[in-house]
Amino acid sequence: MTKKINSFSLKFDTDWQYAAAPESSEHVEIKDKYDLFIGSKFVQPKSKKYFETINPSNEEVISKVAEANGSDVDAAVSAARKAFPKWSKLPAKERAKYIFRIARLIQERAREFAVIESMDGGKPIKEARDIDIPLAAAHFFYYAGWADKLEYAFPHRKVEPLGVAGQIIPWNFPLLMAAWKIAPALACGNTVVLKPAETTPLTAMKLAELIQDAGLPDGVVNIITGAGQTGAALVEHPDIDKIAFTGSTEVGKIIQKAIAGTKKKATLELGGKSANIIFEDAAIDQAVEGVINGIFFNQGHVCCAGSRLFVQESIKEEVERKLKARLETLIVGDPLDKNTDVGAINSKKQLETIEAYLKIGEKEGLESFQVKSKLPKKGYYCHPTLFFDVAQSSRLAQEEIFGPVLAIQTFRTVDEAIEKANNTPYGLSAGVWTDKGSKAFNLSVQLKAGVVWANTFNKFDPTSPFGGYKESGFGREGGLQGLEGYLKVE
Ligand code: NAP
Ligand code: MG
């Protein structure tokens, strides 16, 4: 059985260069049940178990997906291993053709992917449409281009693929994270087993259908759904050469322990508590817009979200006033409404986590601000929230909330801003808002963050490496550097 949803009512016009192809289908097809994608076939899980994936905006069940157990993981890894010799020896320009084909097919089905991403995970359709899906296609295009140019990426060095990569991804950017993982792995000649997150498996299963249509040789890409245990079984599988993980710092640490002393290589993209810093010489309106985007984009479910705001004391009153005014205009609600700015929280569990932090702020006696707009009756929603004068020691300033909650602090001098911004166990990203180029360059060196944005925030591009310092993980994805994680370079 298949549900058909007409997406014609949703306006998909955009001038983004990787936007939906004109022939992009208007129909969204979601099956009632999805099996595991192993060896280019959809196969039933050995456990015979399936779990429901729901739409967090209305709590309705969208579909059921298979729960892979240890033997299913084994079957997927074997399929990937079997495919490896042929795939890795295929002339690189032939490998590239398959990856280009995947990119093209994502463009052709961009509407379908955008609608499913929004339904399964709760993100606003305009973000799925303009950012997630186009960027996912862009990653495949970008890495397809590298496949037959690896000798130029690493001049005078010998490069070889690693083998079978086990890839585990989170729920905040489901298709995009799959693209970040699969595209470079394939370009370098590896084969993969991907495990999507439990709450957002559907675009990965759509990608499996697309990969089948693209005619990739059997077993080059395998996609297995399941819970944390499925991920753990993949990490522990003895025939995996590389683990690429994006998720929480907590699980990242478990993975590091599990693979210690084995041949397995790893890249870990973990949590964050990133600083957005506004200096008095900045273009304030532009900075306020960047701060709003930095924390409320994707409901704040962003590893590099600008969840700590540092404002220079002299402009505190103006920035806070403008932030409050901007909150009044944000539309919170139905993710499939193209005007929605802040959609649904991804799961009940995540909403409970966020609400617990709101209580902590209240208990600490912090001043806060919310606009109590009317929310849909069903579904998981959280009003965007500002907390003012947050102490450095507050849990709201220290811990990753992963929701639409901004902790505002102030500073007087450049050195104080740097010291406070770096005072965190994380180091994923930072934003600097200033009119002075020299200040932006100085901070980009001094801030311990993998990415430092100047007068912008949350800007992603496949050519640009992304990754963390400290407890935000190690290794880089994107750009030339993203190839290294999938190669033995001698
Ligand atoms: P998570 O709980 O760590 O889960 C991530 C993935 O790992 C999911 O597929 C999960 O499966 C699986 N998993 C859970 N336990 C596992 C185990 N013991 N062994 C192997 N795999 C396991 O993280 P999340 O809540 O989905 O995502 C939010 C976190 O991801 C945030 O901390 C965020 O900062 C981080 N993140 C980082 C980046 C980055 O690039 N640095 C990007 C996006 C997100 P289930 O879904 O079934 O639990
Ligand atoms: Mg879901």
Side-chain angles (χ1 to χ4, degrees):
M1 275 280 287
T2 304
K3 281 195 243 330
K4 279 201 175 187
I5 300 156
N6 193 324
S7 70
F8 195 59
S9 53
L10 303 161
K11 196 163 171 273
F12 274 80
D13 295 345
T14 164
D15 51 11
W16 227 80
Q17 62 171 319
Y18 298 110
E23 66 272 29
S24 178
S25 153
E26 275 151 25
H27 282 100
V28 177
E29 290 194 5
I30 303 176
K31 291 189 183 132
D32 284 348
K33 200 170 91 174
Y34 285 93
D35 287 320
L36 304 170
F37 185 63
I38 298 178
S40 296
K41 288 184 192 66
F42 287 92
V43 298
Q44 287 188 5
K46 303 238 163 55
S47 64
K48 301 264 186 278
K49 282 193 200 153
Y50 291 81
F51 61 95
E52 290 174 343
T53 184
I54 65 151
N55 180 338
S57 77
N58 56 20
E59 299 169 56
E60 282 170 17
V61 175
I62 312 175
S63 181
K64 281 185 185 160
V65 293
E67 187 170 328
N69 66 16
S71 348
D72 296 308
V73 170
D74 203 29
V77 174
S78 304
R81 176 61 62 197
K82 199 169 150 213
F84 177 65
K86 218 168 142 193
W87 178 250
S88 57
K89 292 201 178 67
L90 204 66
K93 65 174 200 275
E94 297 303 318
R95 275 207 311 271
K97 283 184 197 164
Y98 286 109
I99 307 168
F100 275 123
R101 204 177 295 159
I102 296 173
R104 247 328 263 162
L105 287 173
I106 292 176
Q107 284 190 313
E108 281 177 19
R109 298 181 199 168
R111 289 165 190 264
E112 200 175 6
F113 274 108
V115 173
I116 296 174
E117 201 73 307
S118 177
M119 286 175 68
D120 203 15
K123 68 174 65 210
I125 185 72
K126 69 176 173 196
E127 291 180 7
R129 172 194 70 184
D130 294 346
I131 298 166
D132 291 59
I133 312 304
L135 263 181
H139 271 268
F140 280 103
F141 276 119
Y142 176 74
Y143 280 110
W146 272 121
D148 61 353
K149 298 172 197 73
L150 295 177
E151 64 200 272
Y152 300 101
F154 304 97
H156 315 299
R157 314 276 298 272
K158 191 171 154 242
V159 295
E160 266 178 50
L162 299 175
V164 177
Q167 308 183 315
I168 301 169
I169 55 173
W171 42 260
N172 54 348
F173 294 93
L175 185 74
L176 185 57
M177 290 299 111
W180 279 28
K181 299 269 177 289
I182 296 174
L186 297 191
C188 294
N190 303 274
T191 57
V192 309
V193 179
L194 176 92
K195 191 206 91 74
E198 214 173 320
T199 58
T200 53
L202 294 182
T203 45
M205 295 325 293
K206 273 277 146 193
L207 182 65
E209 291 176 359
L210 182 153
I211 283 168
Q212 208 177 33
D213 292 349
L216 247 75
D218 293 352
V220 170
V221 174
N222 305 275
I223 301 183
I224 51 168
T225 43
Q229 278 167 326
T230 311
L234 189 57
V235 169
E236 281 155 24
H237 197 286
D239 203 25
I240 288 279
D241 298 292
K242 149 98 190 188
I243 289 292
F245 172 79
T246 298
S248 60
T249 295
E250 190 190 345
V251 174
K253 287 179 182 174
I254 297 174
I255 292 178
Q256 243 183 321
K257 282 186 195 140
I259 63 172
T262 70
K263 64 169 182 179
K264 291 169 199 169
K265 295 206 165 178
T267 40
L268 302 178
E269 303 276 8
L270 310 175
K273 189 77 189 175
S274 299
N276 226 336
I277 306 169
I278 312 185
F279 288 95
E280 59 192 2
D281 57 33
I284 306 288
D285 289 349
Q286 199 187 323
V288 165
E289 210 43 44
V291 170
I292 292 283
N293 165 270
I295 184 62
F296 302 127
F297 169 56
N298 201 27
Q299 297 72 247
H301 302 327
V302 181
C303 50
C304 54
S307 50
R308 292 183 297 152
L309 171 62
F310 293 95
V311 187
Q312 198 152 17
E313 258 180 27
S314 52
I315 52 166
K316 171 180 158 64
E317 188 277 325
E318 181 185 1
V319 168
E320 292 184 349
R321 178 170 41 83
K322 288 184 167 168
L323 280 173
K324 286 179 184 172
R326 188 65 178 88
L327 244 62
E328 301 275 357
T329 67
L330 286 179
I331 301 174
V332 186
D334 180 7
L336 280 182
D337 182 331
K338 64 178 188 288
N339 294 315
T340 292
D341 298 304
V342 179
I345 298 302
N346 183 268
S347 66
K348 187 161 181 264
K349 189 170 152 242
Q350 189 59 27
L351 181 59
E352 286 165 2
T353 304
I354 298 166
E355 284 173 345
Y357 278 104
L358 297 182
K359 289 235 164 64
I360 291 169
E362 213 177 290
K363 266 202 186 143
E364 287 184 7
L366 293 172
E367 188 198 332
S368 65
F369 182 82
Q370 280 185 333
V371 178
K372 299 269 190 209
S373 59
K374 203 163 165 240
L375 297 176
K377 283 210 178 67
K378 288 211 117 188
Y380 315 126
Y381 293 93
C382 177
H383 290 293
T385 309
L386 308 174
F387 279 103
F388 304 96
D389 299 309
V390 180
Q392 192 70 4
S393 57
S394 164
R395 285 182 64 190
L396 296 193
Q398 291 292 328
E399 297 174 20
E400 183 182 48
I401 302 173
F402 223 54
V405 182
L406 181 66
I408 306 175
Q409 301 177 255
T410 55
F411 66 92
R412 286 189 188 153
T413 64
V414 172
D415 287 345
E416 190 188 347
I418 295 168
E419 197 199 311
K420 283 184 164 170
N422 283 339
N423 183 2
T424 162
Y426 296 111
L428 202 50
S429 80
V432 181
W433 299 85
T434 172
D435 196 33
K436 298 255 179 314
S438 56
K439 213 184 262 174
F441 281 118
N442 176 27
L443 264 84
S444 71
V445 175
Q446 310 253 23
L447 292 170
K448 297 276 170 292
V451 181
V452 180
W453 284 295
N455 295 329
T456 186
F457 206 90
N458 275 342
K459 276 270 181 285
F460 304 98
D461 190 278
T463 62
S464 166
F466 185 88
Y469 285 103
K470 303 194 275 185
E471 292 195 17
S472 290
F474 52 79
R476 294 292 179 263
E477 289 185 314
L480 181 85
Q481 293 81 353
L483 295 165
E484 269 186 75
Y486 290 100
L487 290 170
K488 215 185 293 166
V489 183
E490 281 167 21

